[in-house]
Each structure stands twice: as structure tokens, then as C-alpha cells.
């Protein structure tokens, strides 16, 4: 139940030390690789894989083989290029609209940087308050005694 898809790799048939294997309830298809190891397992390890055939499974004609999924057509590739190009163009246009407005309009630029400074100040204040709460109130609880200039590890 690992949501495996496709053929069982031929390299798996080269393994000679498998004691237990369970490929049941996946979406495997094609011919089971012929080897002494994989054909000795019980057919139940392949249960739930409707597309599998070959020993030890009973169903499989001699001419039945797994068909690779069709390759991408030229139209699919063109659609993919158009999709990526449109994303890139939108990013570039949006970025330069923002930068262009910032360059051309002084009021927008000043307002933006005031807003940015306020956000940074608010973050700094919140962080400083949190750190202040974490610091001990008196020197007795700290590991370093400021009054006596010695370590307080007791």
C-alpha cells in the first residue's frame, strides 16, 4: 500500500537474498520480472495490482507487455512553454510596475518607506519586550552574578 505505479524494476529480479516481499495493493502493471526469487513468492504478495501478470500470477498471455505511457506531444510541450512564459511575464510586469511607481512617484516612495520603518520598529519593540520577559528580574537567579563578578553555579 505504498501507491507504487508502473513496472516492477528488472533490477529487483537480480536480488537473491529476499526473504519477504509485499507489493500488494499498489498500482503496479506489466510483467513480473522472471527470476527464481520473485517467482517463488506466493501470488498474494501481488494482490491488488490489476495490471500485473506473469508467474506466479495465473493470467498473462505470452504477447502481453506493459506499454509505456505516451510521450509528450509537441502541443503539450508548447502549452508548457506558454504556461511558464506567462508566469515569467506576469512576474516581470508586476515587479517593474512596483519599482516604476516607486521611482516615479516621490509620495508613494516616502509613504512606503515610512510604512516599512514602522513595521520594523514594531517588530523590534515586540522582540525587545519578549526578551525582557525572558531575563531574570534579580541577579540571584542568573548564572552570572554581576555584583560579585564571579560565576554562580550553585
Amino acid at each position: 500500500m505504498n501507491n507504487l505505479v508502473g513496472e516492477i524494476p528488472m533490477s529487483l529480479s537480480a536480488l537473491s537474498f529476499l526473504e519477504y516481499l509485499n507489493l500488494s495493493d499498489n498500482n503496479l502493471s506489466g510483467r513480473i520480472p522472471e527470476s527464481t526469487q520473485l517467482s517463488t513468492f506466493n501470488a498474494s504478495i501481488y494482490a491488488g495490482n490489476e495490471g500485473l501478470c506473469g508467474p506466479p500470477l495465473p493470467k498473462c498471455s505470452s504477447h502481453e507487455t506493459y506499454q509505456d505511457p505516451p510521450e509528450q506531444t509537441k502541443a503539450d510541450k508548447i502549452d508548457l512553454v506558454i504556461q511558464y512564459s506567462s508566469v515569467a511575464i506576469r512576474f516581470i510586469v508586476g515587479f517593474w510596475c512596483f519599482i516604476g511607481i516607486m521611482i516615479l512617484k516621490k509620495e508613494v516612495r516616502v509613504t512606503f518607506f515610512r510604512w516599512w520603518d514602522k513595521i520594523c520598529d514594531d517588530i523590534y519593540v515586540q522582540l525587545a519586550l519578549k526578551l525582557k520577559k525572558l531575563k531574570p528580574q534579580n541577579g540571584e537567579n542568573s548564572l552570572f552574578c554581576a555584583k560579585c563578578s564571579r560565576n554562580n553555579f550553585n
Side-chain angles (χ1 to χ4, degrees):
M1 294 184 190
N2 295 320
N3 296 323
L4 299 174
V5 179
E7 288 185 339
I8 298 174
M10 290 301 291
S11 58
L12 195 62
S13 64
L15 299 176
S16 60
F17 53 85
L18 284 177
E19 185 174 326
Y20 180 76
L21 177 67
N22 186 357
L23 297 173
S24 63
D25 298 315
N26 286 293
N27 294 317
L28 297 173
S29 58
R31 243 177 137 56
I32 297 172
E34 294 184 23
S35 74
T36 55
Q37 187 74 33
L38 293 177
S39 60
T40 59
F41 290 122
N42 188 342
S44 65
I45 72 162
Y46 302 111
N49 294 296
E50 298 302 320
L52 277 181
C53 65
L57 297 177
K59 64 171 185 167
C60 198
S61 64
S62 59
H63 59 79
E64 187 175 358
T65 57
Y66 174 73
Q67 304 232 344
D68 289 329
E71 291 187 27
Q72 283 186 330
T73 63
K74 192 171 186 176
D76 291 339
K77 291 179 182 178
I78 291 173
D79 287 343
L80 194 61
V81 168
I82 290 172
Q83 184 179 6
Y84 284 128
S85 300
S86 68
V87 169
I89 290 170
R90 286 184 216 158
F91 174 77
I92 291 168
V93 168
F95 178 78
W96 281 108
C97 283
F98 175 76
I99 294 299
I101 291 171
M102 295 292 283
I103 291 171
L104 298 175
K105 295 283 190 175
K106 182 178 180 179
E107 306 87 38
V108 173
R109 186 171 54 242
V110 169
T111 304
F112 173 76
F113 284 112
R114 282 185 183 161
W115 171 80
W116 184 252
D117 284 341
K118 182 182 179 326
I119 295 293
C120 290
D121 289 344
D122 289 346
I123 291 172
Y124 173 77
V125 167
Q126 293 298 321
L127 185 62
L129 289 174
K130 297 248 187 242
L131 289 175
K132 178 119 173 114
K133 287 180 183 179
L134 291 176
K135 286 184 179 179
Q137 297 300 323
N138 53 20
E140 296 170 4
N141 293 334
S142 66
L143 293 176
F144 183 76
C145 180
K147 291 180 184 176
C148 54
S149 297
R150 66 178 174 83
N151 290 337
N152 185 14
F153 293 107
N154 298 348

Coordinates of all heavy atoms in Angstrom, one line a residue, residues 20-105:
Y20 N 11.2 -11.9 2.4 CA 9.8 -11.5 2.4 C 9.7 -10.2 1.5 O 10.5 -9.3 1.6 CB 9.4 -11.2 3.8 CG 8.0 -10.7 3.9 CD1 6.9 -11.6 3.8 CD2 7.7 -9.4 4.1 CE1 5.6 -11.2 3.9 CE2 6.3 -9.0 4.2 CZ 5.3 -9.9 4.1 OH 4.0 -9.5 4.1
L21 N 8.6 -10.2 0.7 CA 8.3 -9.0 -0.1 C 6.8 -8.9 -0.2 O 6.1 -9.9 -0.4 CB 8.9 -9.2 -1.5 CG 8.7 -8.1 -2.5 CD1 9.4 -6.9 -2.1 CD2 9.1 -8.6 -3.9
N22 N 6.3 -7.7 -0.1 CA 4.9 -7.5 -0.2 C 4.6 -6.3 -1.1 O 4.9 -5.1 -0.7 CB 4.2 -7.3 1.2 CG 2.7 -7.2 1.1 OD1 2.1 -7.2 0.1 ND2 2.1 -7.1 2.3
L23 N 4.2 -6.5 -2.3 CA 3.9 -5.5 -3.2 C 2.4 -5.3 -3.4 O 1.9 -4.7 -4.4 CB 4.5 -5.8 -4.6 CG 6.1 -5.8 -4.5 CD1 6.6 -6.3 -5.9 CD2 6.7 -4.5 -4.2
S24 N 1.6 -5.8 -2.5 CA 0.1 -5.8 -2.7 C -0.5 -4.4 -2.6 O 0.1 -3.5 -1.9 CB -0.5 -6.8 -1.7 OG -0.3 -6.3 -0.4
D25 N -1.6 -4.3 -3.2 CA -2.4 -3.0 -3.1 C -1.7 -1.8 -3.6 O -1.6 -0.8 -2.9 CB -3.0 -2.9 -1.7 CG -3.9 -4.0 -1.3 OD1 -4.8 -4.4 -2.2 OD2 -3.8 -4.5 -0.2
N26 N -1.1 -1.9 -4.7 CA -0.4 -0.7 -5.4 C -1.0 -0.6 -6.7 O -2.0 -1.2 -7.0 CB 1.1 -0.9 -5.4 CG 1.7 -0.8 -4.1 OD1 1.8 0.3 -3.5 ND2 2.3 -1.8 -3.5
N27 N -0.4 0.2 -7.6 CA -0.9 0.3 -9.0 C 0.2 -0.2 -9.9 O 0.5 0.5 -10.9 CB -1.2 1.8 -9.3 CG -2.4 2.3 -8.5 OD1 -3.4 1.5 -8.3 ND2 -2.3 3.5 -7.9
L28 N 0.8 -1.3 -9.6 CA 1.8 -1.9 -10.5 C 1.2 -2.5 -11.7 O 0.0 -3.0 -11.6 CB 2.6 -2.9 -9.7 CG 3.4 -2.3 -8.5 CD1 4.0 -3.4 -7.7 CD2 4.4 -1.4 -8.9
S29 N 1.9 -2.5 -12.8 CA 1.4 -3.1 -14.0 C 2.6 -3.7 -14.8 O 3.7 -3.5 -14.4 CB 0.7 -2.0 -14.9 OG 1.6 -1.0 -15.1
G30 N 2.2 -4.5 -15.8 CA 3.3 -5.1 -16.6 C 3.6 -6.5 -16.2 O 2.9 -7.1 -15.3
R31 N 4.6 -7.0 -16.8 CA 5.1 -8.4 -16.5 C 5.9 -8.4 -15.2 O 6.8 -7.5 -15.1 CB 5.9 -8.9 -17.6 CG 5.3 -10.1 -18.3 CD 6.1 -10.5 -19.5 NE 6.3 -11.9 -19.6 CZ 5.3 -12.8 -19.7 NH1 4.1 -12.4 -19.6 NH2 5.5 -14.1 -19.8
I32 N 5.7 -9.4 -14.4 CA 6.6 -9.6 -13.2 C 7.9 -10.1 -13.8 O 8.0 -11.1 -14.6 CB 6.0 -10.6 -12.3 CG1 4.7 -10.1 -11.7 CG2 6.9 -10.9 -11.1 CD1 3.9 -11.1 -10.9
P33 N 9.1 -9.5 -13.4 CA 10.4 -10.0 -13.9 C 10.6 -11.4 -13.6 O 10.3 -11.9 -12.4 CB 11.4 -9.1 -13.1 CG 10.6 -7.9 -12.7 CD 9.2 -8.3 -12.5
E34 N 11.0 -12.2 -14.6 CA 11.2 -13.6 -14.4 C 12.6 -13.9 -13.7 O 13.6 -13.6 -14.3 CB 11.1 -14.3 -15.7 CG 9.7 -14.2 -16.3 CD 9.5 -15.0 -17.6 OE1 10.3 -15.9 -17.8 OE2 8.6 -14.7 -18.3
S35 N 12.5 -14.4 -12.5 CA 13.7 -14.8 -11.8 C 13.3 -15.9 -10.8 O 12.1 -16.0 -10.5 CB 14.3 -13.6 -11.1 OG 13.5 -13.3 -9.9
T36 N 14.2 -16.6 -10.3 CA 13.9 -17.6 -9.4 C 13.4 -17.0 -8.1 O 12.5 -17.6 -7.4 CB 15.1 -18.5 -9.1 OG1 16.2 -17.6 -8.6 CG2 15.6 -19.2 -10.3
Q37 N 13.9 -15.9 -7.7 CA 13.5 -15.3 -6.4 C 12.0 -14.8 -6.5 O 11.2 -15.1 -5.6 CB 14.4 -14.1 -6.1 CG 14.2 -13.5 -4.8 CD 14.7 -14.4 -3.6 OE1 15.7 -15.1 -3.8 NE2 14.1 -14.4 -2.5
L38 N 11.7 -14.0 -7.5 CA 10.3 -13.4 -7.5 C 9.2 -14.4 -7.8 O 8.1 -14.2 -7.4 CB 10.3 -12.2 -8.5 CG 11.1 -11.0 -8.1 CD1 11.1 -10.0 -9.2 CD2 10.7 -10.4 -6.8
S39 N 9.5 -15.4 -8.5 CA 8.5 -16.4 -8.9 C 8.3 -17.4 -7.8 O 7.3 -18.2 -7.8 CB 8.9 -17.2 -10.2 OG 10.1 -17.8 -10.0
T40 N 9.1 -17.5 -6.7 CA 9.0 -18.4 -5.6 C 8.0 -17.8 -4.6 O 7.5 -18.6 -3.8 CB 10.3 -18.7 -4.9 OG1 10.9 -17.5 -4.5 CG2 11.2 -19.4 -5.9
F41 N 7.7 -16.5 -4.6 CA 6.8 -16.0 -3.6 C 5.4 -16.4 -3.9 O 5.1 -16.7 -5.1 CB 6.9 -14.4 -3.6 CG 8.2 -13.9 -3.0 CD1 9.0 -13.1 -3.8 CD2 8.6 -14.2 -1.7 CE1 10.2 -12.6 -3.3 CE2 9.8 -13.7 -1.2 CZ 10.6 -12.9 -2.0
N42 N 4.6 -16.3 -2.9 CA 3.2 -16.6 -3.0 C 2.5 -15.5 -3.9 O 2.9 -14.4 -3.8 CB 2.5 -16.7 -1.7 CG 1.1 -17.2 -1.7 OD1 0.5 -17.1 -2.7 ND2 0.6 -17.6 -0.5
A43 N 1.5 -15.9 -4.7 CA 0.8 -14.9 -5.5 C 0.1 -13.8 -4.7 O -0.2 -12.7 -5.3 CB -0.2 -15.6 -6.4
S44 N -0.1 -14.0 -3.4 CA -0.8 -13.0 -2.6 C 0.0 -11.7 -2.4 O -0.5 -10.7 -2.1 CB -1.1 -13.6 -1.3 OG 0.0 -13.9 -0.5
I45 N 1.4 -11.8 -2.6 CA 2.2 -10.5 -2.5 C 1.9 -9.6 -3.6 O 2.3 -8.4 -3.5 CB 3.7 -10.8 -2.4 CG1 4.2 -11.3 -3.7 CG2 4.0 -11.9 -1.3 CD1 5.7 -11.2 -3.8
Y46 N 1.3 -10.0 -4.7 CA 1.0 -9.2 -5.8 C -0.5 -8.8 -5.9 O -0.9 -8.2 -6.8 CB 1.4 -9.9 -7.1 CG 2.8 -10.3 -7.2 CD1 3.2 -11.6 -7.2 CD2 3.8 -9.3 -7.3 CE1 4.5 -12.0 -7.2 CE2 5.1 -9.7 -7.4 CZ 5.5 -11.0 -7.3 OH 6.8 -11.4 -7.4
A47 N -1.3 -9.2 -4.9 CA -2.7 -8.9 -4.9 C -3.0 -7.4 -4.9 O -2.3 -6.6 -4.3 CB -3.4 -9.5 -3.6
G48 N -4.1 -7.1 -5.6 CA -4.5 -5.7 -5.7 C -3.8 -4.9 -6.7 O -3.9 -3.6 -6.8
N49 N -3.0 -5.5 -7.6 CA -2.3 -4.9 -8.7 C -2.9 -5.4 -10.0 O -2.4 -6.4 -10.5 CB -0.8 -5.1 -8.7 CG -0.1 -4.5 -7.5 OD1 -0.1 -3.3 -7.3 ND2 0.4 -5.3 -6.6
E50 N -4.0 -4.8 -10.4 CA -4.7 -5.3 -11.6 C -3.9 -5.4 -12.8 O -4.2 -6.3 -13.7 CB -6.0 -4.4 -11.8 CG -6.9 -4.4 -10.6 CD -7.4 -5.8 -10.2 OE1 -7.7 -6.6 -11.1 OE2 -7.5 -6.0 -9.0
G51 N -2.9 -4.6 -13.0 CA -2.1 -4.6 -14.3 C -1.0 -5.6 -14.3 O -0.3 -5.7 -15.3
L52 N -0.7 -6.3 -13.2 CA 0.4 -7.3 -13.2 C 0.0 -8.6 -13.8 O -1.1 -9.0 -13.7 CB 0.9 -7.5 -11.7 CG 1.8 -6.5 -11.1 CD1 2.2 -6.9 -9.7 CD2 3.1 -6.3 -11.9
C53 N 1.0 -9.2 -14.4 CA 0.8 -10.5 -15.0 C 2.1 -11.3 -15.0 O 3.2 -10.7 -14.8 CB 0.2 -10.5 -16.4 SG 1.4 -9.7 -17.6
G54 N 2.1 -12.6 -15.2 CA 3.3 -13.4 -15.2 C 3.4 -14.2 -13.9 O 2.7 -14.0 -13.0
P55 N 4.3 -15.3 -14.0 CA 4.4 -16.2 -12.8 C 4.7 -15.4 -11.6 O 5.6 -14.5 -11.7 CB 5.5 -17.1 -13.2 CG 5.8 -16.8 -14.6 CD 5.2 -15.5 -15.0
P56 N 4.1 -15.7 -10.5 CA 3.2 -16.7 -10.1 C 1.8 -16.4 -10.4 O 0.9 -17.2 -10.0 CB 3.5 -16.9 -8.6 CG 3.8 -15.6 -8.1 CD 4.5 -14.9 -9.3
L57 N 1.4 -15.3 -11.0 CA 0.0 -15.0 -11.3 C -0.4 -15.8 -12.5 O 0.3 -16.0 -13.4 CB -0.1 -13.5 -11.5 CG 0.2 -12.5 -10.4 CD1 0.1 -11.1 -10.8 CD2 -0.7 -12.8 -9.2
P58 N -1.7 -16.3 -12.4 CA -2.1 -17.1 -13.5 C -2.4 -16.4 -14.8 O -2.2 -17.0 -15.9 CB -3.4 -17.7 -12.9 CG -3.9 -16.8 -11.9 CD -2.6 -16.1 -11.4
K59 N -2.8 -15.2 -14.8 CA -3.2 -14.5 -16.0 C -2.0 -13.8 -16.7 O -1.3 -13.1 -16.0 CB -4.3 -13.5 -15.8 CG -3.9 -12.4 -14.9 CD -4.9 -11.3 -14.8 CE -4.4 -10.1 -14.0 NZ -5.1 -9.0 -14.1
C60 N -1.8 -14.1 -17.9 CA -0.8 -13.4 -18.7 C -0.6 -14.1 -20.0 O -0.2 -15.3 -20.0 CB 0.5 -13.2 -17.9 SG 1.6 -12.0 -18.6
S61 N -0.8 -13.5 -21.1 CA -0.6 -14.1 -22.3 C 0.9 -13.9 -22.7 O 1.5 -13.0 -22.2 CB -1.5 -13.6 -23.4 OG -1.3 -12.2 -23.6
S62 N 1.4 -14.7 -23.6 CA 2.8 -14.6 -24.0 C 3.1 -13.3 -24.7 O 4.2 -12.8 -24.7 CB 3.2 -15.8 -24.8 OG 2.4 -15.8 -26.0
H63 N 2.1 -12.7 -25.4 CA 2.4 -11.4 -26.1 C 2.0 -10.2 -25.3 O 2.2 -9.1 -25.8 CB 1.6 -11.4 -27.4 CG 0.1 -11.6 -27.3 ND1 -0.7 -10.6 -26.9 CD2 -0.7 -12.7 -27.4 CE1 -2.0 -11.0 -26.8 NE2 -2.0 -12.3 -27.1
E64 N 1.5 -10.3 -24.1 CA 1.1 -9.2 -23.3 C 2.3 -8.5 -22.7 O 3.1 -9.1 -22.0 CB 0.1 -9.6 -22.2 CG -0.5 -8.5 -21.5 CD -1.5 -9.0 -20.5 OE1 -1.8 -10.2 -20.4 OE2 -2.1 -8.2 -19.8
T65 N 2.5 -7.2 -22.9 CA 3.6 -6.5 -22.4 C 3.1 -5.2 -21.9 O 2.0 -4.7 -22.3 CB 4.7 -6.2 -23.4 OG1 4.2 -5.5 -24.5 CG2 5.3 -7.5 -23.8
Y66 N 3.8 -4.6 -21.0 CA 3.5 -3.2 -20.5 C 3.8 -2.2 -21.5 O 4.8 -2.2 -22.1 CB 4.2 -3.0 -19.2 CG 4.0 -1.6 -18.6 CD1 2.8 -1.2 -18.0 CD2 5.0 -0.7 -18.7 CE1 2.7 0.0 -17.5 CE2 4.9 0.6 -18.2 CZ 3.7 0.9 -17.6 OH 3.5 2.2 -17.2
Q67 N 2.9 -1.3 -21.7 CA 3.1 -0.2 -22.7 C 3.4 1.0 -21.9 O 2.8 1.4 -21.0 CB 1.8 0.0 -23.5 CG 1.3 -1.3 -24.2 CD 1.1 -1.0 -25.6 OE1 1.0 0.1 -26.0 NE2 1.0 -2.1 -26.4
D68 N 4.5 1.6 -22.4 CA 4.9 2.9 -21.7 C 3.9 4.0 -22.0 O 3.2 3.9 -23.0 CB 6.3 3.4 -22.3 CG 7.4 2.5 -21.9 OD1 7.3 2.0 -20.7 OD2 8.4 2.4 -22.6
P69 N 3.7 4.9 -21.1 CA 2.8 6.0 -21.3 C 3.3 6.8 -22.5 O 4.5 6.9 -22.8 CB 2.8 6.8 -20.0 CG 4.0 6.4 -19.3 CD 4.4 5.0 -19.8
P70 N 2.3 7.4 -23.3 CA 2.8 8.1 -24.5 C 3.6 9.3 -24.1 O 3.4 9.9 -23.0 CB 1.4 8.6 -25.1 CG 0.4 8.5 -24.0 CD 0.9 7.4 -23.1
E71 N 4.6 9.6 -24.9 CA 5.5 10.7 -24.7 C 4.7 12.0 -24.9 O 3.7 12.0 -25.5 CB 6.7 10.7 -25.6 CG 7.6 9.5 -25.3 CD 8.9 9.6 -26.2 OE1 9.2 10.7 -26.6 OE2 9.5 8.6 -26.4
Q72 N 5.2 13.1 -24.4 CA 4.6 14.4 -24.5 C 4.6 14.7 -26.0 O 5.6 14.6 -26.7 CB 5.3 15.5 -23.8 CG 5.1 15.4 -22.3 CD 5.7 16.7 -21.6 OE1 6.7 17.2 -22.1 NE2 5.1 17.1 -20.6
T73 N 3.4 15.2 -26.4 CA 3.3 15.6 -27.8 C 3.9 17.0 -27.9 O 4.1 17.7 -26.9 CB 1.8 15.6 -28.3 OG1 1.1 16.6 -27.5 CG2 1.2 14.2 -28.1
K74 N 4.0 17.5 -29.2 CA 4.6 18.8 -29.4 C 3.6 19.9 -28.8 O 4.1 20.9 -28.3 CB 4.8 19.0 -30.9 CG 5.6 20.2 -31.3 CD 5.9 20.2 -32.7 CE 6.8 21.4 -33.0 NZ 7.3 21.3 -34.4
A75 N 2.3 19.6 -28.9 CA 1.3 20.6 -28.4 C 1.4 20.7 -26.9 O 1.3 21.8 -26.3 CB -0.1 20.1 -28.8
D76 N 1.7 19.5 -26.2 CA 1.9 19.6 -24.8 C 3.1 20.4 -24.4 O 3.1 21.2 -23.4 CB 2.0 18.2 -24.2 CG 0.7 17.4 -24.3 OD1 -0.4 18.0 -24.4 OD2 0.8 16.1 -24.3
K77 N 4.2 20.2 -25.1 CA 5.4 21.0 -24.8 C 5.2 22.5 -25.1 O 5.6 23.3 -24.3 CB 6.5 20.5 -25.7 CG 7.0 19.1 -25.3 CD 8.1 18.6 -26.2 CE 8.5 17.2 -25.8 NZ 9.5 16.6 -26.7
I78 N 4.4 22.8 -26.1 CA 4.2 24.2 -26.4 C 3.3 24.8 -25.3 O 3.5 25.9 -24.9 CB 3.5 24.4 -27.8 CG1 4.5 24.0 -28.9 CG2 2.9 25.8 -28.0 CD1 3.9 24.0 -30.3
D79 N 2.3 24.1 -24.8 CA 1.4 24.5 -23.7 C 2.3 24.8 -22.5 O 2.0 25.8 -21.8 CB 0.3 23.5 -23.5 CG -0.7 23.5 -24.5 OD1 -0.8 24.5 -25.3 OD2 -1.5 22.5 -24.5
L80 N 3.2 23.9 -22.2 CA 4.1 24.0 -21.0 C 4.9 25.3 -21.1 O 5.1 26.0 -20.2 CB 4.9 22.8 -20.9 CG 5.6 22.6 -19.5 CD1 4.6 22.5 -18.4 CD2 6.5 21.4 -19.6
V81 N 5.5 25.5 -22.3 CA 6.3 26.7 -22.5 C 5.5 28.0 -22.4 O 5.9 29.0 -21.8 CB 7.0 26.7 -23.9 CG1 7.6 28.0 -24.3 CG2 8.0 25.6 -24.0
I82 N 4.3 28.0 -22.9 CA 3.4 29.1 -22.8 C 3.0 29.4 -21.3 O 3.0 30.5 -20.9 CB 2.1 28.9 -23.7 CG1 2.5 29.0 -25.2 CG2 1.0 29.9 -23.3 CD1 1.3 28.6 -26.1
Q83 N 2.8 28.3 -20.6 CA 2.4 28.5 -19.2 C 3.6 29.1 -18.4 O 3.4 30.1 -17.6 CB 2.1 27.1 -18.6 CG 1.6 27.2 -17.2 CD 1.2 25.8 -16.6 OE1 1.4 24.8 -17.3 NE2 0.7 25.8 -15.4
Y84 N 4.8 28.6 -18.6 CA 5.9 29.1 -17.9 C 6.2 30.5 -18.3 O 6.6 31.4 -17.5 CB 7.2 28.2 -18.0 CG 7.1 27.0 -17.2 CD1 7.3 25.7 -17.8 CD2 6.9 27.0 -15.8 CE1 7.3 24.6 -17.0 CE2 6.8 25.9 -15.1 CZ 7.1 24.7 -15.7 OH 7.0 23.5 -14.9
S85 N 6.1 30.8 -19.6 CA 6.3 32.2 -20.1 C 5.4 33.2 -19.5 O 5.8 34.3 -19.2 CB 6.2 32.2 -21.6 OG 7.2 31.3 -22.2
S86 N 4.1 32.8 -19.4 CA 3.1 33.7 -18.9 C 3.4 34.0 -17.4 O 3.2 35.1 -17.0 CB 1.7 33.2 -19.1 OG 1.5 32.0 -18.3
V87 N 3.8 33.0 -16.7 CA 4.2 33.3 -15.3 C 5.4 34.2 -15.2 O 5.4 35.2 -14.4 CB 4.5 31.9 -14.5 CG1 5.1 32.2 -13.2 CG2 3.3 31.1 -14.4
A88 N 6.4 34.0 -16.0 CA 7.6 34.9 -16.0 C 7.2 36.3 -16.4 O 7.6 37.3 -15.8 CB 8.6 34.3 -16.9
I89 N 6.4 36.5 -17.4 CA 6.0 37.8 -17.9 C 5.2 38.5 -16.8 O 5.4 39.7 -16.6 CB 5.2 37.7 -19.2 CG1 6.1 37.3 -20.4 CG2 4.5 39.0 -19.6 CD1 5.4 36.9 -21.6
R90 N 4.2 37.8 -16.2 CA 3.5 38.4 -15.1 C 4.4 38.9 -14.0 O 4.1 40.0 -13.4 CB 2.4 37.4 -14.5 CG 1.3 37.2 -15.5 CD 0.3 36.3 -14.8 NE -0.3 35.5 -15.8 CZ -0.9 34.3 -15.6 NH1 -1.0 33.8 -14.4 NH2 -1.4 33.6 -16.6
F91 N 5.4 38.1 -13.6 CA 6.3 38.5 -12.5 C 7.0 39.7 -12.9 O 7.2 40.7 -12.2 CB 7.3 37.4 -12.2 CG 8.3 37.8 -11.2 CD1 8.0 37.9 -9.9 CD2 9.6 38.1 -11.7 CE1 9.0 38.3 -9.0 CE2 10.6 38.5 -10.8 CZ 10.3 38.6 -9.4
I92 N 7.6 39.7 -14.1 CA 8.4 40.9 -14.6 C 7.5 42.1 -14.7 O 7.9 43.2 -14.2 CB 9.0 40.6 -16.0 CG1 10.1 39.5 -15.8 CG2 9.6 41.8 -16.6 CD1 10.6 38.9 -17.1
V93 N 6.3 42.1 -15.2 CA 5.5 43.2 -15.3 C 5.1 43.7 -13.9 O 5.2 44.9 -13.6 CB 4.2 42.9 -16.2 CG1 3.2 44.0 -16.0 CG2 4.6 42.7 -17.6
G94 N 4.7 42.8 -13.0 CA 4.3 43.2 -11.7 C 5.5 43.8 -10.9 O 5.3 44.9 -10.3
F95 N 6.7 43.2 -11.1 CA 7.8 43.8 -10.4 C 8.2 45.2 -10.9 O 8.4 46.1 -10.1 CB 9.0 42.8 -10.6 CG 10.3 43.3 -10.0 CD1 10.5 43.2 -8.7 CD2 11.3 43.9 -10.8 CE1 11.7 43.6 -8.1 CE2 12.5 44.3 -10.2 CZ 12.7 44.2 -8.9
W96 N 8.2 45.4 -12.2 CA 8.6 46.6 -12.7 C 7.5 47.7 -12.6 O 7.8 48.9 -12.5 CB 9.0 46.5 -14.2 CG 10.4 46.0 -14.3 CD1 10.8 44.8 -14.7 CD2 11.6 46.7 -13.8 NE1 12.2 44.7 -14.5 CE2 12.7 45.9 -14.0 CE3 11.8 48.0 -13.3 CZ2 14.0 46.2 -13.7 CZ3 13.1 48.3 -13.0 CH2 14.2 47.4 -13.2
C97 N 6.2 47.3 -12.5 CA 5.2 48.3 -12.1 C 5.4 48.8 -10.7 O 5.3 50.0 -10.5 CB 3.8 47.6 -12.2 SG 3.2 47.4 -13.9
F98 N 5.7 47.9 -9.8 CA 6.0 48.4 -8.4 C 7.2 49.3 -8.4 O 7.2 50.4 -7.8 CB 6.2 47.1 -7.5 CG 6.6 47.5 -6.1 CD1 5.7 47.9 -5.2 CD2 7.9 47.3 -5.7 CE1 6.0 48.3 -3.9 CE2 8.3 47.6 -4.4 CZ 7.3 48.1 -3.5
I99 N 8.3 48.8 -9.0 CA 9.6 49.6 -9.0 C 9.4 50.9 -9.7 O 9.9 51.9 -9.3 CB 10.7 48.8 -9.6 CG1 11.1 47.5 -8.7 CG2 12.0 49.6 -9.8 CD1 11.5 47.9 -7.3
G100 N 8.7 50.8 -10.9 CA 8.5 52.1 -11.6 C 7.7 53.1 -10.9 O 8.0 54.3 -10.9
I101 N 6.7 52.7 -10.2 CA 5.9 53.6 -9.3 C 6.8 54.2 -8.2 O 6.7 55.4 -7.9 CB 4.6 52.9 -8.8 CG1 3.7 52.7 -9.9 CG2 4.0 53.8 -7.7 CD1 2.5 51.8 -9.5
M102 N 7.6 53.3 -7.6 CA 8.5 53.8 -6.6 C 9.5 54.8 -7.1 O 9.9 55.8 -6.4 CB 9.2 52.6 -5.9 CG 8.3 51.6 -5.2 SD 7.6 52.3 -3.7 CE 9.0 52.2 -2.7
I103 N 10.0 54.6 -8.3 CA 10.9 55.5 -8.9 C 10.3 56.9 -9.3 O 10.8 57.9 -9.0 CB 11.6 54.9 -10.1 CG1 12.5 53.8 -9.6 CG2 12.4 55.9 -10.9 CD1 13.1 52.9 -10.7
L104 N 9.1 56.8 -9.9 CA 8.5 58.0 -10.5 C 7.7 58.8 -9.4 O 7.6 60.0 -9.6 CB 7.6 57.6 -11.6 CG 8.3 56.9 -12.8 CD1 7.2 56.5 -13.8 CD2 9.3 57.9 -13.4
K105 N 7.1 58.2 -8.5 CA 6.2 58.9 -7.5 C 6.9 59.1 -6.2 O 7.0 58.1 -5.4 CB 4.9 58.2 -7.3 CG 4.0 58.1 -8.6 CD 3.4 59.4 -8.8 CE 2.3 59.3 -9.9 NZ 1.6 60.5 -10.0

